[in-house]
Amino acid sequence: MSQQPTGGPSITQERRLVTAIPGPRSLELAERKAKAVASGVAVGLPVQIVAAGGGILVDADGNQLIDLGSGIAVTTVGNSAPRVVEAVTRQVAEFTHTCFMVTPYEGYVAVAEKLNELTPGSHEKRSALFNSGAEAVENAVKIARSATGRQSVVVFDHAYHGRTNLTMAMTAKNMPYKKGFGPFASEVYRAPLSYPFRDGGRDGAEAARQAIDVIEKQVGAESLAAIVIEPIQGEGGFIVPADGFLPALAAWCRDNGVVFVADEVQTGFARTGELFACDHEGVVPDLIVTAKGIAGGLPLAAVTGRAELMDAAHAGGLGGTYGGNPLACAAALAVFETIEAEGLVDRARTIGKTMTERLAALQESDPRIGEVRGRGAMIAVELVRAGTTDPDADLTKKVAAAANAQGLVVLTCGTYGNVLRFLPPLSMPDHLLAEALDLLAGIFATIDQVS
Ligand code: PLZ
């Protein structure tokens, strides 16, 4: 068997099942988990991971699973990617923390410089670093409010922005994210999204007109600080808006002094076959929020944007104990280097092409696959009752469970729970990707025709 293309932990790049999934050791951990961990923290597939690299997750029972999740779009450069391991190992031996707000260090500034350079637009930028996607989204809102002197925030149907109080308000879906957790933050308004599969294929300009109409009638530009949008929705169902939707919203924001914030927490850093999803349509956001894939698994997030907006908050107004932790910054610099050195933007496109072609062929023979969509290595299928657009969440659960049982880690998403999503690490070798697609084809061929 070939090794993973990027080195890393020496894990044979092969799927291997030696016990049922989950195996006995994993079940033992699940028992301990039930007694020790709050049950609100749920687990998708209870296998105990002991190593990971390339396209493989290894469990405590010796099973090797193919990873089509990347820990929800985080290990884009691969798990324990060699440059990340080296940089973090070096940093952990030097110093682990000072708090950037107390006594600064170079890594933080270097990450900010790199983000300012890599994110869309050639204007003067500044960055601020945080720990999680939700924390960064909150800070983008703080910055937009401070810069505009306005309070309202517009988000979209199906949006996901996090689990903190403000970001719960911004997230659309009740279960599991919001139920029982209110009251939520005020001054958050929701506009309709462009969702071609479910909105009759409205074109982007028309969908934007409808969203803007809602915003103008229900909020009013004069009180609107920011529009926050995922350029391709993640948790909401890998929804790619119709061409022209994002540029029209960005233009309206520009004309109305509203800050256009792109939440690229899930789409950023080569995932979609561009460095950022906004790049597909040449959209230049005023602020861009990043996290997940930025640091190869270490917790880091950022807000990057126009210098005049970013500098609007008073000194001391932004920060946090751990934001831009030295280990996470070392990891991020190694991630930027890996993306470049290994041509991972192109790799994401190649993976996307392979997945899309194969899944589209599957769709031809299976009317339960309503749509195949996504960009780069962020691809999904939306499952429906054959011949309709009625969401089939049961089928989606069954396919995911069958995939798991065969050693294939897949994730589901979508407001209706009927989207099967694929987010392979870009270190996934071709033969494992092909095997994963074969397994999926086999599952669709054998799973109950009438679900
Ligand atoms: N914005 C677009 O995708 C995180 C959520 C997993 P954090 N998505 C995974 C879960 O069920 O909690 C996400 C995202 C977008 C913001 C976030 C929030 O990022 O790092 O999880 O806070």
PDB file of all heavy atoms in Angstrom, residues 260-296:
ATOM      1  N   PHE A 260     -19.932  44.255   4.777  1.00  0.00           N
ATOM      2  CA  PHE A 260     -20.189  42.927   4.213  1.00  0.00           C
ATOM      3  C   PHE A 260     -19.181  41.951   4.815  1.00  0.00           C
ATOM      4  O   PHE A 260     -17.982  42.053   4.581  1.00  0.00           O
ATOM      5  CB  PHE A 260     -20.048  42.977   2.683  1.00  0.00           C
ATOM      6  CG  PHE A 260     -20.363  41.675   1.997  1.00  0.00           C
ATOM      7  CD1 PHE A 260     -21.673  41.328   1.701  1.00  0.00           C
ATOM      8  CD2 PHE A 260     -19.350  40.786   1.638  1.00  0.00           C
ATOM      9  CE1 PHE A 260     -21.973  40.119   1.070  1.00  0.00           C
ATOM     10  CE2 PHE A 260     -19.633  39.583   1.012  1.00  0.00           C
ATOM     11  CZ  PHE A 260     -20.948  39.249   0.720  1.00  0.00           C
ATOM     12  N   VAL A 261     -19.703  41.019   5.620  1.00  0.00           N
ATOM     13  CA  VAL A 261     -18.839  40.077   6.334  1.00  0.00           C
ATOM     14  C   VAL A 261     -19.006  38.684   5.728  1.00  0.00           C
ATOM     15  O   VAL A 261     -20.114  38.137   5.699  1.00  0.00           O
ATOM     16  CB  VAL A 261     -19.209  39.999   7.838  1.00  0.00           C
ATOM     17  CG1 VAL A 261     -18.246  39.048   8.571  1.00  0.00           C
ATOM     18  CG2 VAL A 261     -19.199  41.385   8.480  1.00  0.00           C
ATOM     19  N   ALA A 262     -17.913  38.114   5.246  1.00  0.00           N
ATOM     20  CA  ALA A 262     -17.952  36.737   4.748  1.00  0.00           C
ATOM     21  C   ALA A 262     -17.507  35.807   5.876  1.00  0.00           C
ATOM     22  O   ALA A 262     -16.401  35.944   6.394  1.00  0.00           O
ATOM     23  CB  ALA A 262     -17.028  36.586   3.546  1.00  0.00           C
ATOM     24  N   ASP A 263     -18.377  34.891   6.258  1.00  0.00           N
ATOM     25  CA  ASP A 263     -18.010  33.863   7.228  1.00  0.00           C
ATOM     26  C   ASP A 263     -17.426  32.696   6.442  1.00  0.00           C
ATOM     27  O   ASP A 263     -18.153  31.862   5.900  1.00  0.00           O
ATOM     28  CB  ASP A 263     -19.241  33.436   8.048  1.00  0.00           C
ATOM     29  CG  ASP A 263     -18.921  32.318   9.039  1.00  0.00           C
ATOM     30  OD1 ASP A 263     -17.854  31.690   8.915  1.00  0.00           O
ATOM     31  OD2 ASP A 263     -19.759  32.064   9.932  1.00  0.00           O
ATOM     32  N   GLU A 264     -16.097  32.677   6.378  1.00  0.00           N
ATOM     33  CA  GLU A 264     -15.400  31.603   5.642  1.00  0.00           C
ATOM     34  C   GLU A 264     -14.786  30.588   6.609  1.00  0.00           C
ATOM     35  O   GLU A 264     -13.767  29.979   6.306  1.00  0.00           O
ATOM     36  CB  GLU A 264     -14.347  32.201   4.701  1.00  0.00           C
ATOM     37  CG  GLU A 264     -14.950  33.003   3.560  1.00  0.00           C
ATOM     38  CD  GLU A 264     -14.506  32.516   2.176  1.00  0.00           C
ATOM     39  OE1 GLU A 264     -14.081  31.349   2.043  1.00  0.00           O
ATOM     40  OE2 GLU A 264     -14.603  33.326   1.232  1.00  0.00           O
ATOM     41  N   VAL A 265     -15.444  30.432   7.750  1.00  0.00           N
ATOM     42  CA  VAL A 265     -14.936  29.490   8.753  1.00  0.00           C
ATOM     43  C   VAL A 265     -14.846  28.083   8.161  1.00  0.00           C
ATOM     44  O   VAL A 265     -13.864  27.373   8.356  1.00  0.00           O
ATOM     45  CB  VAL A 265     -15.828  29.521  10.017  1.00  0.00           C
ATOM     46  CG1 VAL A 265     -15.523  28.345  10.947  1.00  0.00           C
ATOM     47  CG2 VAL A 265     -15.632  30.841  10.761  1.00  0.00           C
ATOM     48  N   GLN A 266     -15.854  27.678   7.408  1.00  0.00           N
ATOM     49  CA  GLN A 266     -15.862  26.312   6.845  1.00  0.00           C
ATOM     50  C   GLN A 266     -15.251  26.250   5.439  1.00  0.00           C
ATOM     51  O   GLN A 266     -14.712  25.239   5.029  1.00  0.00           O
ATOM     52  CB  GLN A 266     -17.289  25.739   6.838  1.00  0.00           C
ATOM     53  CG  GLN A 266     -17.321  24.249   6.563  1.00  0.00           C
ATOM     54  CD  GLN A 266     -18.503  23.501   7.163  1.00  0.00           C
ATOM     55  OE1 GLN A 266     -18.831  22.427   6.715  1.00  0.00           O
ATOM     56  NE2 GLN A 266     -19.154  24.020   8.187  1.00  0.00           N
ATOM     57  N   THR A 267     -15.342  27.363   4.704  1.00  0.00           N
ATOM     58  CA  THR A 267     -14.951  27.353   3.286  1.00  0.00           C
ATOM     59  C   THR A 267     -13.509  27.788   3.038  1.00  0.00           C
ATOM     60  O   THR A 267     -13.003  27.623   1.926  1.00  0.00           O
ATOM     61  CB  THR A 267     -15.874  28.302   2.494  1.00  0.00           C
ATOM     62  OG1 THR A 267     -15.925  29.567   3.185  1.00  0.00           O
ATOM     63  CG2 THR A 267     -17.277  27.753   2.363  1.00  0.00           C
ATOM     64  N   GLY A 268     -12.859  28.349   4.055  1.00  0.00           N
ATOM     65  CA  GLY A 268     -11.565  28.990   3.842  1.00  0.00           C
ATOM     66  C   GLY A 268     -10.407  28.038   3.635  1.00  0.00           C
ATOM     67  O   GLY A 268     -10.513  26.835   3.869  1.00  0.00           O
ATOM     68  N   PHE A 269      -9.301  28.585   3.161  1.00  0.00           N
ATOM     69  CA  PHE A 269      -7.999  27.904   3.066  1.00  0.00           C
ATOM     70  C   PHE A 269      -8.023  26.688   2.148  1.00  0.00           C
ATOM     71  O   PHE A 269      -7.807  25.559   2.579  1.00  0.00           O
ATOM     72  CB  PHE A 269      -7.462  27.569   4.468  1.00  0.00           C
ATOM     73  CG  PHE A 269      -7.310  28.807   5.296  1.00  0.00           C
ATOM     74  CD1 PHE A 269      -8.220  29.101   6.299  1.00  0.00           C
ATOM     75  CD2 PHE A 269      -6.316  29.715   4.998  1.00  0.00           C
ATOM     76  CE1 PHE A 269      -8.117  30.279   7.019  1.00  0.00           C
ATOM     77  CE2 PHE A 269      -6.208  30.903   5.715  1.00  0.00           C
ATOM     78  CZ  PHE A 269      -7.104  31.174   6.725  1.00  0.00           C
ATOM     79  N   ALA A 270      -8.289  26.934   0.883  1.00  0.00           N
ATOM     80  CA  ALA A 270      -8.153  25.958  -0.207  1.00  0.00           C
ATOM     81  C   ALA A 270      -9.300  24.955  -0.294  1.00  0.00           C
ATOM     82  O   ALA A 270      -9.427  24.240  -1.281  1.00  0.00           O
ATOM     83  CB  ALA A 270      -6.821  25.200  -0.130  1.00  0.00           C
ATOM     84  N   ARG A 271     -10.141  24.917   0.716  1.00  0.00           N
ATOM     85  CA  ARG A 271     -11.192  23.892   0.765  1.00  0.00           C
ATOM     86  C   ARG A 271     -12.018  23.831  -0.528  1.00  0.00           C
ATOM     87  O   ARG A 271     -12.326  22.754  -1.031  1.00  0.00           O
ATOM     88  CB  ARG A 271     -12.083  24.184   1.990  1.00  0.00           C
ATOM     89  CG  ARG A 271     -13.317  23.347   2.179  1.00  0.00           C
ATOM     90  CD  ARG A 271     -13.124  21.869   2.223  1.00  0.00           C
ATOM     91  NE  ARG A 271     -12.210  21.356   3.224  1.00  0.00           N
ATOM     92  CZ  ARG A 271     -11.809  20.072   3.263  1.00  0.00           C
ATOM     93  NH1 ARG A 271     -12.254  19.186   2.371  1.00  0.00           N
ATOM     94  NH2 ARG A 271     -10.951  19.667   4.174  1.00  0.00           N
ATOM     95  N   THR A 272     -12.407  24.982  -1.050  1.00  0.00           N
ATOM     96  CA  THR A 272     -13.354  24.982  -2.178  1.00  0.00           C
ATOM     97  C   THR A 272     -12.678  25.032  -3.546  1.00  0.00           C
ATOM     98  O   THR A 272     -13.338  25.198  -4.562  1.00  0.00           O
ATOM     99  CB  THR A 272     -14.338  26.167  -2.078  1.00  0.00           C
ATOM    100  OG1 THR A 272     -13.596  27.382  -2.275  1.00  0.00           O
ATOM    101  CG2 THR A 272     -15.045  26.207  -0.734  1.00  0.00           C
ATOM    102  N   GLY A 273     -11.350  24.905  -3.563  1.00  0.00           N
ATOM    103  CA  GLY A 273     -10.670  24.987  -4.859  1.00  0.00           C
ATOM    104  C   GLY A 273     -10.281  26.409  -5.222  1.00  0.00           C
ATOM    105  O   GLY A 273      -9.851  26.684  -6.350  1.00  0.00           O
ATOM    106  N   GLU A 274     -10.449  27.318  -4.298  1.00  0.00           N
ATOM    107  CA  GLU A 274      -9.834  28.644  -4.314  1.00  0.00           C
ATOM    108  C   GLU A 274      -9.333  28.822  -2.887  1.00  0.00           C
ATOM    109  O   GLU A 274      -9.772  28.102  -1.989  1.00  0.00           O
ATOM    110  CB  GLU A 274     -10.848  29.760  -4.645  1.00  0.00           C
ATOM    111  CG  GLU A 274     -11.342  29.794  -6.076  1.00  0.00           C
ATOM    112  CD  GLU A 274     -10.328  30.374  -7.064  1.00  0.00           C
ATOM    113  OE1 GLU A 274      -9.251  30.827  -6.635  1.00  0.00           O
ATOM    114  OE2 GLU A 274     -10.632  30.346  -8.269  1.00  0.00           O
ATOM    115  N   LEU A 275      -8.479  29.802  -2.671  1.00  0.00           N
ATOM    116  CA  LEU A 275      -8.007  29.984  -1.293  1.00  0.00           C
ATOM    117  C   LEU A 275      -9.196  30.314  -0.399  1.00  0.00           C
ATOM    118  O   LEU A 275      -9.318  29.810   0.718  1.00  0.00           O
ATOM    119  CB  LEU A 275      -6.943  31.086  -1.264  1.00  0.00           C
ATOM    120  CG  LEU A 275      -5.887  30.963  -0.190  1.00  0.00           C
ATOM    121  CD1 LEU A 275      -5.381  29.547   0.021  1.00  0.00           C
ATOM    122  CD2 LEU A 275      -4.730  31.900  -0.510  1.00  0.00           C
ATOM    123  N   PHE A 276     -10.119  31.153  -0.919  1.00  0.00           N
ATOM    124  CA  PHE A 276     -11.351  31.486  -0.191  1.00  0.00           C
ATOM    125  C   PHE A 276     -12.527  31.366  -1.158  1.00  0.00           C
ATOM    126  O   PHE A 276     -12.376  31.629  -2.352  1.00  0.00           O
ATOM    127  CB  PHE A 276     -11.260  32.899   0.393  1.00  0.00           C
ATOM    128  CG  PHE A 276     -10.156  33.008   1.404  1.00  0.00           C
ATOM    129  CD1 PHE A 276      -8.910  33.499   1.039  1.00  0.00           C
ATOM    130  CD2 PHE A 276     -10.332  32.542   2.699  1.00  0.00           C
ATOM    131  CE1 PHE A 276      -7.866  33.533   1.960  1.00  0.00           C
ATOM    132  CE2 PHE A 276      -9.292  32.578   3.619  1.00  0.00           C
ATOM    133  CZ  PHE A 276      -8.063  33.075   3.251  1.00  0.00           C
ATOM    134  N   ALA A 277     -13.692  31.003  -0.616  1.00  0.00           N
ATOM    135  CA  ALA A 277     -14.851  30.796  -1.492  1.00  0.00           C
ATOM    136  C   ALA A 277     -15.268  32.090  -2.180  1.00  0.00           C
ATOM    137  O   ALA A 277     -15.801  32.064  -3.294  1.00  0.00           O
ATOM    138  CB  ALA A 277     -16.013  30.206  -0.687  1.00  0.00           C
ATOM    139  N   CYS A 278     -15.042  33.242  -1.546  1.00  0.00           N
ATOM    140  CA  CYS A 278     -15.380  34.530  -2.176  1.00  0.00           C
ATOM    141  C   CYS A 278     -14.643  34.702  -3.501  1.00  0.00           C
ATOM    142  O   CYS A 278     -15.124  35.405  -4.396  1.00  0.00           O
ATOM    143  CB  CYS A 278     -14.984  35.687  -1.246  1.00  0.00           C
ATOM    144  SG  CYS A 278     -16.188  36.020   0.043  1.00  0.00           S
ATOM    145  N   ASP A 279     -13.463  34.081  -3.614  1.00  0.00           N
ATOM    146  CA  ASP A 279     -12.645  34.252  -4.820  1.00  0.00           C
ATOM    147  C   ASP A 279     -13.334  33.691  -6.066  1.00  0.00           C
ATOM    148  O   ASP A 279     -13.021  34.112  -7.189  1.00  0.00           O
ATOM    149  CB  ASP A 279     -11.284  33.556  -4.641  1.00  0.00           C
ATOM    150  CG  ASP A 279     -10.421  34.223  -3.574  1.00  0.00           C
ATOM    151  OD1 ASP A 279     -10.556  35.441  -3.380  1.00  0.00           O
ATOM    152  OD2 ASP A 279      -9.616  33.517  -2.934  1.00  0.00           O
ATOM    153  N   HIS A 280     -14.262  32.744  -5.913  1.00  0.00           N
ATOM    154  CA  HIS A 280     -14.915  32.157  -7.092  1.00  0.00           C
ATOM    155  C   HIS A 280     -15.659  33.206  -7.904  1.00  0.00           C
ATOM    156  O   HIS A 280     -15.810  33.082  -9.113  1.00  0.00           O
ATOM    157  CB  HIS A 280     -15.895  31.048  -6.676  1.00  0.00           C
ATOM    158  CG  HIS A 280     -15.218  29.797  -6.197  1.00  0.00           C
ATOM    159  ND1 HIS A 280     -14.642  28.883  -7.043  1.00  0.00           N
ATOM    160  CD2 HIS A 280     -15.008  29.319  -4.946  1.00  0.00           C
ATOM    161  CE1 HIS A 280     -14.114  27.886  -6.346  1.00  0.00           C
ATOM    162  NE2 HIS A 280     -14.317  28.134  -5.067  1.00  0.00           N
ATOM    163  N   GLU A 281     -16.187  34.226  -7.202  1.00  0.00           N
ATOM    164  CA  GLU A 281     -16.918  35.274  -7.935  1.00  0.00           C
ATOM    165  C   GLU A 281     -16.247  36.639  -7.805  1.00  0.00           C
ATOM    166  O   GLU A 281     -16.869  37.662  -8.066  1.00  0.00           O
ATOM    167  CB  GLU A 281     -18.365  35.353  -7.427  1.00  0.00           C
ATOM    168  CG  GLU A 281     -19.228  34.208  -7.923  1.00  0.00           C
ATOM    169  CD  GLU A 281     -20.700  34.487  -7.679  1.00  0.00           C
ATOM    170  OE1 GLU A 281     -21.169  34.148  -6.571  1.00  0.00           O
ATOM    171  OE2 GLU A 281     -21.366  35.051  -8.562  1.00  0.00           O
ATOM    172  N   GLY A 282     -15.000  36.632  -7.359  1.00  0.00           N
ATOM    173  CA  GLY A 282     -14.290  37.903  -7.223  1.00  0.00           C
ATOM    174  C   GLY A 282     -14.915  38.840  -6.203  1.00  0.00           C
ATOM    175  O   GLY A 282     -14.778  40.062  -6.299  1.00  0.00           O
ATOM    176  N   VAL A 283     -15.614  38.281  -5.221  1.00  0.00           N
ATOM    177  CA  VAL A 283     -16.232  39.125  -4.189  1.00  0.00           C
ATOM    178  C   VAL A 283     -15.161  39.502  -3.167  1.00  0.00           C
ATOM    179  O   VAL A 283     -14.408  38.653  -2.701  1.00  0.00           O
ATOM    180  CB  VAL A 283     -17.386  38.356  -3.489  1.00  0.00           C
ATOM    181  CG1 VAL A 283     -17.871  39.093  -2.253  1.00  0.00           C
ATOM    182  CG2 VAL A 283     -18.523  38.123  -4.474  1.00  0.00           C
ATOM    183  N   VAL A 284     -15.105  40.797  -2.847  1.00  0.00           N
ATOM    184  CA  VAL A 284     -14.143  41.275  -1.850  1.00  0.00           C
ATOM    185  C   VAL A 284     -14.918  41.715  -0.610  1.00  0.00           C
ATOM    186  O   VAL A 284     -15.525  42.785  -0.596  1.00  0.00           O
ATOM    187  CB  VAL A 284     -13.302  42.444  -2.409  1.00  0.00           C
ATOM    188  CG1 VAL A 284     -12.357  42.977  -1.322  1.00  0.00           C
ATOM    189  CG2 VAL A 284     -12.510  41.984  -3.627  1.00  0.00           C
ATOM    190  N   PRO A 285     -14.910  40.878   0.422  1.00  0.00           N
ATOM    191  CA  PRO A 285     -15.654  41.248   1.632  1.00  0.00           C
ATOM    192  C   PRO A 285     -14.932  42.359   2.397  1.00  0.00           C
ATOM    193  O   PRO A 285     -13.713  42.489   2.301  1.00  0.00           O
ATOM    194  CB  PRO A 285     -15.670  39.953   2.455  1.00  0.00           C
ATOM    195  CG  PRO A 285     -14.523  39.142   1.962  1.00  0.00           C
ATOM    196  CD  PRO A 285     -14.252  39.558   0.545  1.00  0.00           C
ATOM    197  N   ASP A 286     -15.711  43.145   3.159  1.00  0.00           N
ATOM    198  CA  ASP A 286     -15.083  44.166   4.011  1.00  0.00           C
ATOM    199  C   ASP A 286     -14.352  43.498   5.168  1.00  0.00           C
ATOM    200  O   ASP A 286     -13.279  43.926   5.565  1.00  0.00           O
ATOM    201  CB  ASP A 286     -16.140  45.130   4.544  1.00  0.00           C
ATOM    202  CG  ASP A 286     -16.852  45.861   3.418  1.00  0.00           C
ATOM    203  OD1 ASP A 286     -16.141  46.409   2.553  1.00  0.00           O
ATOM    204  OD2 ASP A 286     -18.099  45.854   3.381  1.00  0.00           O
ATOM    205  N   LEU A 287     -14.990  42.454   5.719  1.00  0.00           N
ATOM    206  CA  LEU A 287     -14.367  41.657   6.774  1.00  0.00           C
ATOM    207  C   LEU A 287     -14.524  40.195   6.390  1.00  0.00           C
ATOM    208  O   LEU A 287     -15.571  39.795   5.866  1.00  0.00           O
ATOM    209  CB  LEU A 287     -15.059  41.868   8.131  1.00  0.00           C
ATOM    210  CG  LEU A 287     -15.114  43.281   8.716  1.00  0.00           C
ATOM    211  CD1 LEU A 287     -15.868  43.262  10.055  1.00  0.00           C
ATOM    212  CD2 LEU A 287     -13.719  43.863   8.919  1.00  0.00           C
ATOM    213  N   ILE A 288     -13.515  39.396   6.665  1.00  0.00           N
ATOM    214  CA  ILE A 288     -13.610  37.962   6.418  1.00  0.00           C
ATOM    215  C   ILE A 288     -13.253  37.236   7.716  1.00  0.00           C
ATOM    216  O   ILE A 288     -12.287  37.603   8.386  1.00  0.00           O
ATOM    217  CB  ILE A 288     -12.731  37.525   5.219  1.00  0.00           C
ATOM    218  CG1 ILE A 288     -12.857  36.020   4.951  1.00  0.00           C
ATOM    219  CG2 ILE A 288     -11.274  37.903   5.392  1.00  0.00           C
ATOM    220  CD1 ILE A 288     -12.266  35.593   3.596  1.00  0.00           C
ATOM    221  N   VAL A 289     -14.085  36.258   8.052  1.00  0.00           N
ATOM    222  CA  VAL A 289     -13.897  35.498   9.281  1.00  0.00           C
ATOM    223  C   VAL A 289     -13.369  34.118   8.909  1.00  0.00           C
ATOM    224  O   VAL A 289     -13.952  33.439   8.055  1.00  0.00           O
ATOM    225  CB  VAL A 289     -15.226  35.349  10.048  1.00  0.00           C
ATOM    226  CG1 VAL A 289     -15.009  34.581  11.349  1.00  0.00           C
ATOM    227  CG2 VAL A 289     -15.839  36.709  10.324  1.00  0.00           C
ATOM    228  N   THR A 290     -12.258  33.711   9.540  1.00  0.00           N
ATOM    229  CA  THR A 290     -11.673  32.409   9.248  1.00  0.00           C
ATOM    230  C   THR A 290     -11.419  31.636  10.544  1.00  0.00           C
ATOM    231  O   THR A 290     -11.321  32.229  11.611  1.00  0.00           O
ATOM    232  CB  THR A 290     -10.345  32.560   8.472  1.00  0.00           C
ATOM    233  OG1 THR A 290      -9.480  33.445   9.194  1.00  0.00           O
ATOM    234  CG2 THR A 290     -10.570  33.116   7.080  1.00  0.00           C
ATOM    235  N   ALA A 291     -11.339  30.325  10.421  1.00  0.00           N
ATOM    236  CA  ALA A 291     -11.049  29.448  11.573  1.00  0.00           C
ATOM    237  C   ALA A 291     -10.731  28.059  11.000  1.00  0.00           C
ATOM    238  O   ALA A 291     -10.083  27.974   9.950  1.00  0.00           O
ATOM    239  CB  ALA A 291     -12.230  29.407  12.550  1.00  0.00           C
ATOM    240  N   LYS A 292     -11.193  27.022  11.645  1.00  0.00           N
ATOM    241  CA  LYS A 292     -11.078  25.633  11.162  1.00  0.00           C
ATOM    242  C   LYS A 292      -9.767  25.316  10.431  1.00  0.00           C
ATOM    243  O   LYS A 292      -8.760  25.042  11.048  1.00  0.00           O
ATOM    244  CB  LYS A 292     -12.275  25.302  10.275  1.00  0.00           C
ATOM    245  CG  LYS A 292     -13.593  25.180  11.051  1.00  0.00           C
ATOM    246  CD  LYS A 292     -14.688  24.643  10.168  1.00  0.00           C
ATOM    247  CE  LYS A 292     -16.053  24.616  10.824  1.00  0.00           C
ATOM    248  NZ  LYS A 292     -16.277  23.474  11.705  1.00  0.00           N
ATOM    249  N   GLY A 293      -9.780  25.355   9.106  1.00  0.00           N
ATOM    250  CA  GLY A 293      -8.632  24.921   8.309  1.00  0.00           C
ATOM    251  C   GLY A 293      -7.394  25.779   8.471  1.00  0.00           C
ATOM    252  O   GLY A 293      -6.332  25.447   7.938  1.00  0.00           O
ATOM    253  N   ILE A 294      -7.483  26.871   9.210  1.00  0.00           N
ATOM    254  CA  ILE A 294      -6.379  27.820   9.315  1.00  0.00           C
ATOM    255  C   ILE A 294      -5.156  27.244  10.016  1.00  0.00           C
ATOM    256  O   ILE A 294      -4.036  27.649   9.736  1.00  0.00           O
ATOM    257  CB  ILE A 294      -6.856  29.115  10.039  1.00  0.00           C
ATOM    258  CG1 ILE A 294      -5.824  30.241   9.944  1.00  0.00           C
ATOM    259  CG2 ILE A 294      -7.181  28.844  11.490  1.00  0.00           C
ATOM    260  CD1 ILE A 294      -6.304  31.560  10.523  1.00  0.00           C
ATOM    261  N   ALA A 295      -5.333  26.299  10.937  1.00  0.00           N
ATOM    262  CA  ALA A 295      -4.195  25.896  11.764  1.00  0.00           C
ATOM    263  C   ALA A 295      -4.067  24.377  11.931  1.00  0.00           C
ATOM    264  O   ALA A 295      -3.492  23.912  12.906  1.00  0.00           O
ATOM    265  CB  ALA A 295      -4.255  26.578  13.128  1.00  0.00           C
ATOM    266  N   GLY A 296      -4.590  23.623  10.967  1.00  0.00           N
ATOM    267  CA  GLY A 296      -4.348  22.181  10.937  1.00  0.00           C
ATOM    268  C   GLY A 296      -4.833  21.424  12.154  1.00  0.00           C
ATOM    269  O   GLY A 296      -4.333  20.345  12.454  1.00  0.00           O
TER     270      GLY A 296
END
